[in-house]
Amino acid sequence: MKVWMLSFEFAGVASLGGLGEAVRSRAVALAKRGHEVTVFMPSHGRCWGKRELPFRSCGMRKGMWGEERWYCVSACEALAEGVRIVMFKGEGDGEVLSKEPIYGWVEEKASLFARAMRAYFSHNPWPELVEAHDWHSVLAGVAIKQEAEKSNYALPLQYTVHLSGSPSFPWHYASADWSGLEDLPHKVWHPGGHRWTRYREVWDRVGGNVEAFGVAEADLVATVSWSYLREELARKYYGVEEKSCVSYNIVEPPRVQPRGTWWELARGLEGFGELREDGVPMFTLGRTVWQKGLDVAIRALDHAPSVRLLVSGLSVGDGAYEEHLRRLVEERRGRVKLVGRLEPGLKLSLMALSAATVVPSRFEPFGIVAVESLSVGTPVIASAVGGLKEIVVDVGAGGPGLLVRPDDPYELGLAMESMAAAMSNRSHEAPLHRMRGIGEQELRRRSRERAKAFSEEAVYGMMLDCYYRSRTMAFYRAVTP
Ligand code: NHF
């Protein structure tokens, strides 16, 4: 199959969190099995040293108050494990595609991404399916679907939601004046069947919310866990379950060869706070945002006296939250250290040597970190939310982890203390009874076993299933009178 993926991130090229890894692992899995995959994205200033493509398209945009604005878009190309990556850059208003912060000027990047995609689509052979990842790629995906419609072709469009939520804009933003969408009549799925409607009607009906517009326009809405589909998307978008599917993220067991003990590795890190080397080491990591709940894990230490916690926070510019974390760390001297982003090999080594990885998210569509941890044989203590509920099977049910209530430092602390006891083979001291009688070796074995459910081999089928359903839905769209 010939697949185009539209995304703002691709691990190894430009990536902040899980999205880049998720897109890359999917694309690679498809390419390995003989599919032709091209990923399209803004270059975010990463075109330097890459091959230029013979593509250039220029035009004018018209602002809200009628002012004319000029742009040009062009592209460079990269290759990664059999996947072709086309990265857009530009001049005039198009220059924004080359700006470095991935989510800086994000609405302008999304708008010019749509212009660039439409132009590229018009000058190149078409794919059989388009998968747009997260709201930033919605306009680009819908733009080429519309371009295909103009030739009476129902190009299957799958919208994959990794993290729900998007801004809203007046129709002008999406329109032919700005991002390039024409207000044409077309067929859109409503619970029960396809109906004729205009683009502007759909846009206004959802109050100009980009994600909601994508949900309405896509042939199929995919997400990364059943819980996230039911608890988040189905609640927000009435009837979405009729045209939805789930495919987990892929995590292949990495090869890790730690150079030294956990303490040796942790000692060398620059960061905030310090660790007394007289406890059981645990690890937690994530973007430093409220969603990820790193603050809950730090506060949980008050109820887990034997645990020493290393926190690796990936800053995305939420200064107030970072300040809050530093205060919490300061109050717990000797028991917690806050460091920044770690190089992947070091991150996995620390994870592999930890007694547990703590994933304290307040909500979580999937939670790649949890699978990574299991795959290196480290049990996971996670909040029972979203994808984490599906990834982590509790010790009480024969699994390798503990599931706790989100946003509850006391319950998380008890779980951490119990895991610390079990992983040092003194599970009789574990405060949680379900942890008694189980030891380190068994927990590490169960972890590796559980991770297999997220291997390329296991998830590939889910991915293809979604693609076939997208194509079927596009087929219905084509044949509805
Ligand atoms: O793993 C990739 C990632 C997820 O739960 C994660 C999230 C954003 O918040 O699918 O997307």
Side-chain angles (χ1 to χ4, degrees):
M1 201 185 321
K2 188 172 165 189
V3 180
W4 283 8
M5 286 191 186
L6 318 182
S7 170
F8 259 45
E9 294 186 30
F10 188 87
V13 175
S15 182
L16 256 182
L19 176 63
E21 285 167 39
V23 173
R24 180 169 181 142
S25 59
R26 275 162 205 265
V28 169
L30 286 166
K32 268 196 205 161
R33 288 163 179 79
H35 300 283
E36 194 190 314
V37 191
T38 311
V39 174
F40 294 85
M41 61 192 288
S43 67
H44 307 300
R46 271 75 160 180
C47 266
W48 198 82
K50 305 212 164 70
R51 196 173 88 87
E52 286 283 316
L53 287 176
F55 162 76
R56 189 176 160 86
S57 166
C58 302
M60 298 300 282
R61 302 198 295 167
K62 202 192 275 174
M64 287 269 249
W65 293 276
E67 72 280 16
E68 300 259 312
R69 303 188 59 99
W70 170 82
Y71 73 89
C72 274
V73 286
S74 52
C76 68
E77 180 192 58
L79 291 170
E81 296 180 82
V83 177
R84 184 164 171 255
I85 307 149
V86 173
M87 301 156 73
F88 294 115
K89 56 200 177 72
E91 296 153 60
D93 276 5
E95 203 187 331
V96 76
L97 291 168
S98 320
K99 296 219 167 152
E100 259 177 50
I102 299 178
Y103 296 104
W105 304 273
V106 63
E107 68 286 345
E108 265 297 85
K109 276 193 182 179
S111 167
L112 279 137
F113 188 29
R115 289 263 175 185
M117 254 348 278
R118 186 188 286 268
Y120 190 95
F121 185 75
S122 309
H123 294 103
N124 285 280
W126 292 356
E128 287 155 272
L129 181 133
V130 177
E131 181 178 7
H133 294 275
D134 274 0
W135 76 263
H136 323 92
S137 307
V138 160
L139 283 174
V142 176
I144 57 179
K145 181 186 75 131
Q146 176 174 80
E147 205 52 38
E149 267 164 0
K150 290 207 264 177
S151 312
N152 272 321
Y153 179 68
L155 175 69
L157 174 64
Q158 177 174 315
Y159 173 27
T160 302
V161 179
H162 296 264
L163 186 59
S164 177
S166 90
S168 302
F169 301 103
W171 166 248
H172 172 268
Y173 171 71
S175 75
D177 281 346
W178 201 247
S179 301
L181 276 194
E182 294 167 52
D183 186 21
L184 301 171
H186 67 309
K187 287 173 258 181
V188 164
W189 178 267
H190 285 259
H194 284 93
R195 269 193 247 154
W196 283 91
T197 173
R198 283 180 171 270
Y199 278 91
R200 183 174 186 163
E201 243 175 79
V202 179
W203 185 270
D204 288 341
R205 182 160 46 81
V206 298
N209 184 266
V210 185
E211 173 172 291
F213 179 68
V215 167
E217 289 289 338
D219 290 301
L220 194 82
V221 179
T223 191
V224 287
S225 68
W226 297 104
S227 316
Y228 202 60
L229 175 63
R230 288 193 205 110
E231 289 161 17
E232 183 77 20
L233 300 185
R235 279 195 195 165
K236 274 188 184 160
Y237 305 116
Y238 171 72
V240 74
E241 276 158 307
E242 286 184 14
K243 59 162 202 180
S244 65
C245 83
V246 167
S247 107
Y248 288 145
N249 286 321
I250 296 169
V251 180
E252 280 294 279
R255 262 181 293 259
V256 259
Q257 278 166 333
R259 295 212 185 109
T261 64
W262 194 94
W263 297 107
E264 283 161 1
L265 296 179
R267 222 178 281 149
L269 298 174
E270 238 177 78
F272 194 80
E274 68 211 52
L275 291 166
R276 261 196 331 265
E277 301 184 12
D278 59 351
V280 181
M282 293 191 183
F283 189 33
T284 183
L285 69 159
R287 281 175 278 127
T288 41
V289 291
W290 187 80
Q291 175 207 345
K292 297 290 178 185
L294 298 176
D295 56 305
V296 186
I298 301 173
R299 278 159 56 217
L301 289 169
D302 301 348
H303 312 284
S306 17
V307 174
R308 302 291 171 265
L309 184 68
L310 179 69
V311 185
S312 162
L314 319 181
S315 171
V316 288
D318 188 342
Y321 184 69
E322 286 166 23
E323 185 50 45
H324 177 57
L325 287 186
R326 277 195 289 271
R327 222 179 19 249
L328 293 177
V329 168
E330 199 144 55
E331 289 164 6
R332 291 160 186 81
R333 271 199 173 272
R335 290 184 285 148
V336 49
K337 183 166 177 177
L338 176 63
V339 300
R341 180 187 286 275
L342 300 174
E343 169 270 305
L346 179 58
K347 173 189 86 174
L348 288 169
S349 296
L350 280 159
M351 208 178 237
L353 295 168
S354 292
T357 301
V358 182
V359 191
S361 311
R362 291 188 163 92
F363 62 93
E364 196 63 80
F366 183 75
I368 293 176
V369 167
V371 187
E372 267 177 352
S373 173
L374 295 175
S375 72
V376 296
T378 298
V380 176
I381 305 169
S383 332
V385 294
L388 296 173
K389 266 198 297 204
E390 287 159 56
I391 296 167
V392 181
V393 179
D394 196 277
V395 162
L402 287 170
L403 285 168
V404 298
R405 238 181 329 207
D407 217 345
D408 186 337
Y410 175 70
E411 203 180 313
L412 180 59
L414 286 192
M416 286 160 71
E417 190 63 17
S418 302
M419 188 62 87
M423 288 298 281
S424 3
N425 295 319
R426 31 175 195 87
S427 73
H428 55 281
E429 291 172 21
L432 292 178
H433 280 259
R434 63 186 195 278
M435 219 48 216
R436 304 255 166 112
I438 190 168
E440 174 177 15
Q441 222 185 0
E442 173 63 8
L443 284 164
R444 293 208 181 268
R445 188 194 64 76
R446 287 188 194 180
S447 299
R448 287 203 187 83
E449 192 54 38
R450 178 65 195 139
K452 290 185 187 155
F454 305 91
S455 68
E456 216 177 79
E457 204 53 45
V459 176
Y460 179 66
M462 291 178 103
M463 267 171 70
L464 269 202
D465 241 35
C466 290
Y467 283 177
Y468 285 134
R469 293 192 48 200
S470 296
R471 292 176 75 168
T472 308
M473 289 299 287
F475 173 76
Y476 289 144
R477 172 156 65 88
V479 298
T480 306

